[in-house]
């Protein structure tokens, strides 16, 4: 059994020239209980039962530019306390080992999602995994399953999935095939390919979620879609040895959504509607991560390097790609491109740092750690600002500026194990 208590708080402030233009604050507390039971039914068959229950409560306050669109009530601030959600589930799986080389793991779980004032939603999820050891060092593996989750908010914030729970659940199937290879002692190499049909997706801009709350129940634009994703994941890992461990991963991903969108001509004019599969807003075709950690006598130090290619500049998170053009008077003007012709944002690299120390007591262990996200203080380009510049009496020029924020997040924490 296990009990987890959590509290998250997020604050965003927006200002210009020393003047505050808006503030957003959201907090969330949670209590989660998990229990599991394992029993060996026979030499080749093991039964596992598990359950979980979680209660979340959140509150939100927004002012100024962060104040969501909706009926005007004369107040500068919008406050929503008491956003409640209850998530629970039960499941079982069997581990069947008919021989030393084969392992079959079928499973089934039932989850429930309940938001305050909304009906309870149930999700039944069958799953199966198979492993076959070709040799002592090479193992093949495959898996398939059905998965559900609440709606995705494109800006990940505490309680984001609770704010959009009334729109239902997303549903996806997952299929994977891979291999694990241990060429020498202490080293592991894995490769896995996957294909995931996305049967129902619900993906909101954060502003859409806030505005829908502000409208007090009025319907927002329908965001239900379907699509698919596929890709390949590679990993080379050296587990913890006497002093150090590390790993290197590479991922290739293609994620598409079927959408109906407006076709746009060379001068920004609409040419009618089209349908087809387009890249997902956060699709990053290539990603690379490398980690290295070394354990000294008094402290363990580690670093993680991360690289990813840019996502599409679709306009769902920032501005859509624009091209240079002229208006009817021959003056410079930005012209939007079609949804299927947008550019990719620049690639991004960052370096993270971690220092930790484990203190051993008679009855428990205490882990103290310091994490610094983006210790290199690099800014990822989130979108481009398409604007104009020019002095009095001079021709107006088009100017495109990258917009990014150097997110540096230090975290100091402690964990006790009894």
């Amino acid at each position: 059994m296990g009990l987890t208590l959590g509290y998250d708080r997020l604050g965003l402030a927006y200002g210009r020239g020393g003047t505050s233009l808006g503030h957003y604050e959201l907090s969330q507390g949670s209590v989660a209980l998990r229990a599991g039971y394992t029993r060996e039914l026979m030499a080749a068959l093991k039964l596992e039962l598990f359950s979980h229950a979680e209660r979340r409560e959140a509150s939100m306050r927004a002012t100024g530019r962060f104040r969501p669109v909706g009926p005007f009530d004369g107040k500068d601030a919008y406050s929503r306390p008491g956003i409640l959600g209850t998530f629970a589930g039960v499941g079982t799986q069997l581990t069947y080992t008919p021989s030393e080389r084969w392992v079959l793991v079928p499973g089934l779980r039932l989850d429930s999602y309940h938001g305050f004032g909304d009906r309870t939603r149930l999700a039944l999820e069958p799953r199966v995994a198979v492993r076959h050891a070709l040799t002592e060092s090479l193992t093949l593996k495959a898996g398939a399953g059905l998965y559900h989750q609440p709606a995705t908010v494109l800006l990940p914030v505490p309680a984001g999935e609770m704010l959009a729970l009334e729109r239902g659940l997303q549903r996806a199937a997952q299929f994977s095939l891979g291999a694990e290879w241990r060429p020498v002692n202490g080293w592991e190499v894995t490769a896995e390919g996957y294909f995931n049909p996305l049967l129902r997706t619900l993906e909101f801009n954060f502003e859409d979620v806030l505005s829908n709350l502000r409208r007090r129940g009025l319907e927002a634009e329908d965001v239900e879609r379907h699509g698919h994703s596929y890709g390949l994941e590679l990993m080379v890992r050296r587990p913890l040895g006497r002093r150090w461990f590390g790993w290197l991963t590479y991922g290739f991903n293609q994620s598409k959504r079927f959408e109906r969108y407006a076709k746009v001509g060379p001068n920004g004019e609409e040419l009618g509607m089209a349908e087809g599969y387009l890249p997902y807003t956060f699709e990053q075709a290539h990603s690379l991560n490398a980690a290295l950690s070394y354990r000294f006598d008094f402290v363990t130090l580690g670093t993680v390097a991360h690289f990813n290619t840019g996502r599409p500049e679709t306009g769902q998170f920032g501005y859509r790609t624009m091209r240079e053009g002229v208006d009817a008077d021959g003056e410079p003007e930005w012209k939007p491109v079609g949804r299927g012709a947008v550019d990719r944002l620049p690639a991004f690299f960052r370096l993270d740092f971690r220092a930790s120390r484990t203190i051993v007591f008679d009855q428990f262990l205490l882990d103290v750690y310091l994490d610094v996200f983006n210790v290199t203080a690099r800014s990822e380009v989130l979108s481009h600002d398409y604007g104009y510049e020019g002095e009095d009496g001079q021709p107006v020029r088009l100017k495109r500026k990258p917009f990014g924020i150097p997110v540096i997040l230090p975290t100091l924490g402690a964990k006790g194990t009894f």
Side-chain angles (χ1 to χ4, degrees), residues 138-187:
L138 181 61
T139 299
L140 302 181
K141 58 183 181 179
L146 184 65
Y147 295 82
H148 298 78
Q149 69 177 45
T152 299
V153 180
L154 298 183
L155 176 63
V157 297
E161 60 185 19
M162 293 167 57
L163 296 173
L165 190 57
E166 65 180 18
R167 299 304 296 270
L169 302 176
Q170 301 184 91
R171 182 170 64 254
Q174 295 186 8
F175 303 95
S176 64
L177 181 65
E180 298 177 358
W181 180 42
R182 293 176 173 82
V184 294
N185 292 335
W187 289 88

Side-chain angles (χ1 to χ4, degrees), residues 237-257:
R237 184 169 75 100
R238 186 196 186 277
L240 179 62
R242 299 179 61 182
R243 287 287 185 179
W244 71 278
F245 78 93
W247 46 261
L248 174 69
T249 65
Y250 166 75
F252 169 75
N253 174 259
Q254 295 287 285
S255 185
K256 312 296 181 183
R257 303 293 186 271

